[in-house]
Amino acid sequence: MTALSAQAAAFFDAESAIIRVELTAVRGSSPREAGTEMFVAPTVLWGTIGGGRLEQIAIERGRAMLDGNKLAETLDVPLGPEIGQCCGGHVSLRLTRMHTQDRREALQRIRAEENDQPHVYIMGAGHVGRALANVLQHAPVKCILVDMRQEELQKCEAVVEKRLRALPEVDVFNAPPNSAFIVLTHDHGLDFLLTSAALELGTAAYVGMIGSDTKRAKLRSWCWTHCNGLTIDLLTCPIGATASRDKRPEIIASFVAAEVLTALTADQQVSVSREEAALLEAAQ
């Protein structure tokens, strides 16, 4: 059981009465997509449906249900001036009191969502690698920090998986499809080896290598000579490139994390129910 699953399990075990709040339909702009759920207990919460006044309404109604022993309720909420939000969309919510089986099923969904999280491999546990692990430990990804040096891995305090590898390219070859790779080892030759291996997979959602335009050009020549003309067109190098001149590891890590998370989520499509599709078509 991962840390997130353990926290969820502790929440469900500790609370005697919980209301499940589910976003059942979304039309137009909304803070979260249909299917998002949140759990409301008398004094604590688990999850979020997007914050703001919408979430406040859901919490208030959920706790009123707990006080009044109500079992279920549905809400249709316009996300406009009526409630003090400016998203402009419209959402439907279903609130239900949870029983024992409901809690088991909710925990199973949380575990399944964790298992489906994309893998992010940080290849190198130096200053920037450790800073990246500190950022990505809070993201909805499975973050894996890989290095050949035990002493560098031991310096990382982030709650991520740490792997000591004499041959770190093995982790690249065994990575699941749609993984992200951030290559920033202590050795340029190893950087080239790991980066080319990630590119050769052909299934990576993101491949980035720390360095400069000059290092990118050197890798292009290296791949042409050593990797049968492997193209590096899909490589991000330099990583975290912005207008900022700040080279502190924490700053670089923040920009790189944003790049990686954008690549991992850019192609996600929110499903639209038949009812929503009909409403949207009628409005056009």
Side-chain angles (χ1 to χ4, degrees), residues 20-27 29-38 48-51 54-55 58 75 77 79 90-95 276:
R20 176 179 180 249
V21 180
E22 181 189 9
L23 250 132
T24 56
V26 173
R27 297 186 292 278
S29 179
S30 167
R32 296 295 301 273
E33 63 277 4
T36 300
E37 58 185 352
M38 175 179 73
T48 176
I49 57 170
L54 171 65
E55 185 163 300
L75 300 174
V77 186
L79 303 179
H90 193 109
V91 301
S92 298
L93 301 175
R94 179 168 177 78
L95 289 72
E276 292 176 80

Side-chain angles (χ1 to χ4, degrees), residues 202-235:
T203 60
Y206 173 94
V207 181
M209 181 180 70
I210 199 166
S212 61
D213 290 334
T214 299
K215 186 174 179 181
R216 180 188 180 95
K218 289 182 177 179
L219 175 66
R220 187 184 299 277
S221 298
W222 188 89
C223 286
W224 183 262
T225 303
H226 296 87
C227 303
N228 196 29
L230 174 68
T231 179
I232 66 166
D233 290 347
L234 298 180
L235 172 68

Side-chain angles (χ1 to χ4, degrees), residues 11-86:
F11 169 81
F12 290 127
D13 288 342
E15 300 302 324
S16 60
I18 302 174
I19 297 295
R20 176 179 180 249
V21 180
E22 181 189 9
L23 250 132
T24 56
V26 173
R27 297 186 292 278
S29 179
S30 167
R32 296 295 301 273
E33 63 277 4
T36 300
E37 58 185 352
M38 175 179 73
F39 306 98
V40 179
T43 60
V44 292
L45 306 170
W46 177 269
T48 176
I49 57 170
R53 180 60 182 151
L54 171 65
E55 185 163 300
Q56 185 180 358
I57 290 171
I59 294 169
E60 291 171 352
R61 298 295 283 269
R63 287 179 175 158
M65 288 174 61
L66 292 175
D67 291 338
N69 293 319
K70 193 171 185 178
L71 298 180
E73 183 174 354
T74 58
L75 300 174
D76 288 300
V77 186
L79 303 179
E82 299 93 332
I83 68 165
Q85 286 200 209
C86 57

Side-chain angles (χ1 to χ4, degrees), residues 118-283:
H119 288 48
V120 178
Y121 293 84
I122 303 173
M123 311 303 293
H127 294 295
V128 178
R130 296 196 300 272
L132 261 169
N134 287 337
V135 175
L136 291 174
Q137 68 177 325
H138 303 294
V141 300
K142 179 176 177 59
C143 182
I144 304 153
L145 182 63
V146 184
D147 205 295
M148 306 167 71
R149 304 164 297 170
Q150 180 69 53
E151 65 275 12
E152 295 301 311
L153 287 171
Q154 290 175 338
K155 294 176 183 176
C156 180
E157 298 179 355
V159 183
V160 300
E161 184 177 345
K162 304 172 185 74
R163 295 181 184 175
L164 178 65
R165 291 286 192 261
L167 298 172
E169 60 268 30
V170 172
D171 288 279
V172 177
F173 296 142
N174 292 328
N178 300 314
S179 294
F181 301 90
I182 310 155
V183 181
L184 24 65
T185 78
H186 59 290
D187 180 85
H188 280 209
L190 183 57
D191 282 353
F192 286 4
L193 174 64
L194 297 176
T195 300
S196 62
L199 291 170
E200 283 181 326
L201 288 176
T203 60
Y206 173 94
V207 181
M209 181 180 70
I210 199 166
S212 61
D213 290 334
T214 299
K215 186 174 179 181
R216 180 188 180 95
K218 289 182 177 179
L219 175 66
R220 187 184 299 277
S221 298
W222 188 89
C223 286
W224 183 262
T225 303
H226 296 87
C227 303
N228 196 29
L230 174 68
T231 179
I232 66 166
D233 290 347
L234 298 180
L235 172 68
T236 299
C237 179
I239 54 175
T242 68
S244 174
R245 298 289 184 179
D246 196 322
K247 301 297 184 183
R248 284 176 292 178
E250 296 81 6
I251 300 296
I252 296 171
S254 297
F255 290 137
V256 175
E259 267 182 9
V260 171
L261 294 174
T262 298
L264 290 173
T265 59
D267 293 333
Q268 289 185 0
Q269 296 183 353
V270 178
S271 60
V272 179
S273 69
R274 291 180 180 177
E275 178 185 0
E276 292 176 80
L279 288 169
L280 288 171
E281 184 177 352

